[in-house]
């Protein structure tokens, strides 16, 4: 067991068996908002039940099964900060020498047991509009920045949504808006923050830029590219609406298959209703065990998987599965 101190009270934990070919990973942290832990009927309730304490239990139980069956060459990595700054995932890249033989990185997140086809890009931006101050009793002497920003937002909301692609639909959310100095002063500045979940076929960012007013400015705060994950025969696949640490962690082994999957319904993540059925937990163990066997029962070799891309590419069609729905997650 290796303990990696992040220097701020948070840690990463790495356990290895043999020369790891399969790395299981999920995160140790949860979102704020305490929920009482309880088992009611056949469901486990509490913060982290699916995101991601339930993933930890499922992965470790799957590893226990694989070891009992005589398989080795495994590793489990728990990282901190996935729900906030992803600092744990970045720090974990220093563990690469201990994981040089990886053929697969299996990240646990609630996906209703389907393998994610990939991960949307994440763009966080700020819309600025400048105006000219004037007395509220003579607004014609000023230029109202809030009016300009609202008009820009109206044009953004009217943008056509591109058809769903292999990573799902492209969506945006206007999360904050502010402006003005006082109710009786024509505002000379207004701004709003917007997040975009981008797909390879996406057109919304171009539309936001094209609809910018003369007194507007677009500031990109964060731009994380979309990514495609491995398609494995015999497993269900589906788009997911959230982000994860997997694009960062795949730098541990760029040639390894990148897999995102796990038990639990993402609709319940980050909500007061977060819970997981005991049957789902068992199915999660089965899934992670099957993924381990998929690679461990094959001859050791350099795995191939779709890599991160900067332009749309043709991809193997995944098996049909109901899309994983639910609110977008953290900024990752």
């Amino acid at each position: 067991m290796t303990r990696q101190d992040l220097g701020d009270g948070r840690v990463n934990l790495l356990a290895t068996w043999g020369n790891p070919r399969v790395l299981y990973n999920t995160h140790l942290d949860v979102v704020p908002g305490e929920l009482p832990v309880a088992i009611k009927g056949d469901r486990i309730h509490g913060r982290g039940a699916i995101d991601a304490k339930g993933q930890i239990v499922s992965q470790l139980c799957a590893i226990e099964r694989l070891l009992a069956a005589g398989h080795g060459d495994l590793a489990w990595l728990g990282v901190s900060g996935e729900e906030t700054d992803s600092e744990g995932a970045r720090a974990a890249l220093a563990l690469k020498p201990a994981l040089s033989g990886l053929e697969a990185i299996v990240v646990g997140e609630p996906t209703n047991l389907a393998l994610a086809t990939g991960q949307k890009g994440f763009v966080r931006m700020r819309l600025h509009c400048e105006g000219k101050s004037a007395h509220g009793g003579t607004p014609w002497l000023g230029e109202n920045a809030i009016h300009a920003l609202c008009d820009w937002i109206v044009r953004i909301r009217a943008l056509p949504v591109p058809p769903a692609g292999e990573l799902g639909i492209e969506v945006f959310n206007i999360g904050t808006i502010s402006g003005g100095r006082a109710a009786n002063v024509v505002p000379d500045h207004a701004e709003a923050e917007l997040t975009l979940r981008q797909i390879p076929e996406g057109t919304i960012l171009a539309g936001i830029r094209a609809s910018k007013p003369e007194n507007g400015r677009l500031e990109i705060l964060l731009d994380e590219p979309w990514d495609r994950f491995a398609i494995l025969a015999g497993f269900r696949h589906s788009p997911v609406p959230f982000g994860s640490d997997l694009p960062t962690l795949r730098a541990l082994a760029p040639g390894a298959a990148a897999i995102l999957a796990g038990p639990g319904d993402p609709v319940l993540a980050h909500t007061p209703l977060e819970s997981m059925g005991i049957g789902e937990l068992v199915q999660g163990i089965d899934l992670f065990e099957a993924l381990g066997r998929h690679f461990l029962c094959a001859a050791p070799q350099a795995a191939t998987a779709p890599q991160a891309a900067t332009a749309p590419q043709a991809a193997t069609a995944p098996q049909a599965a109901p899309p994983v729905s639910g609110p977008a997650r953290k900024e990752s």
Side-chain angles (χ1 to χ4, degrees):
M1 175 75 75
T2 300
R3 174 188 170 108
Q4 189 181 35
D5 193 336
L6 303 186
D8 56 3
R10 298 180 296 175
V11 299
N12 290 341
L13 298 174
L14 174 67
T16 60
W17 295 265
N19 180 26
R21 294 169 55 196
V22 177
L23 170 67
Y24 292 95
N25 158 263
T26 192
H27 53 96
L28 305 174
D29 58 315
V30 298
V31 295
E34 293 295 325
L35 292 178
V37 177
I39 298 178
K40 300 177 182 179
D42 63 350
R43 297 195 69 81
I44 303 168
H45 297 257
R47 180 63 69 223
I50 60 173
D51 190 20
K53 305 302 184 184
Q55 310 301 323
I56 296 174
V57 172
S58 294
Q59 289 182 338
L60 293 179
C61 287
I63 290 173
E64 184 177 43
R65 285 185 183 178
L66 291 167
L67 293 172
H71 296 289
D73 298 337
L74 294 162
W76 181 84
L77 173 65
V79 298
S80 295
E82 192 272 350
E83 297 288 5
T84 52
D85 56 8
S86 290
E87 181 58 31
R90 287 190 292 271
L93 300 184
L95 302 170
K96 186 174 182 177
L99 301 168
S100 60
L102 290 182
E103 297 175 24
I105 300 172
V106 182
V107 172
E109 291 283 0
T111 66
N112 280 325
L113 303 169
L115 275 60
T117 52
Q119 184 167 307
K120 298 175 186 178
F122 182 84
V123 185
R124 180 183 172 194
M125 64 195 83
R126 186 176 289 132
L127 315 178
H128 298 268
C129 282
E130 305 300 331
K132 178 183 175 182
S133 292
H135 193 285
T138 55
W140 58 86
L141 298 178
E143 296 178 8
N144 194 307
I146 290 179
H147 289 177
L149 178 62
C150 289
D151 291 344
W152 190 5
I153 290 173
V154 167
R155 291 193 292 274
I156 291 171
R157 293 186 63 196
L159 290 172
V161 177
E166 63 182 309
L167 302 187
I169 61 171
E170 187 167 61
V171 296
F172 67 88
N173 178 62
I174 300 169
T176 66
I177 186 169
S178 62
R181 303 176 185 276
N184 60 349
V185 177
V186 174
D188 61 354
H189 180 80
E191 62 184 52
E193 283 201 21
L194 180 152
T195 56
L196 171 66
R197 308 284 171 160
Q198 200 170 33
I199 62 174
E201 306 87 351
T203 59
I204 291 177
L205 181 56
I208 292 172
R209 288 193 168 111
S211 63
K212 179 175 66 67
E214 289 186 5
N215 61 339
R217 177 169 61 90
L218 179 63
E219 178 186 8
I220 302 297
L221 304 173
L222 181 66
D223 188 354
E224 297 178 344
W226 50 268
D227 202 352
R228 288 188 175 103
F229 300 152
I231 300 297
L232 302 183
F235 293 87
R236 294 191 305 120
H237 298 81
S238 176
V240 294
F242 54 79
S244 74
D245 281 335
L246 183 50
T248 298
L249 291 173
R250 67 190 301 171
L252 287 168
I259 298 164
L260 180 73
D265 188 340
V267 169
L268 301 177
H270 300 193
T271 75
L273 301 177
E274 184 170 1
S275 63
M276 181 187 292
I278 294 175
E280 291 177 274
L281 187 67
V282 174
Q283 288 178 311
I285 299 170
D286 294 340
L287 172 65
F288 288 128
E289 180 187 7
L291 287 168
R293 289 181 181 275
H294 179 88
F295 293 97
L296 296 173
C297 292
Q301 57 185 350
T304 58
Q307 300 298 309
T310 56
Q313 301 175 355
T316 305
Q319 295 185 31
V324 178
S325 61
R329 297 182 56 217
K330 74 172 195 70
E331 296 174 5
S332 60

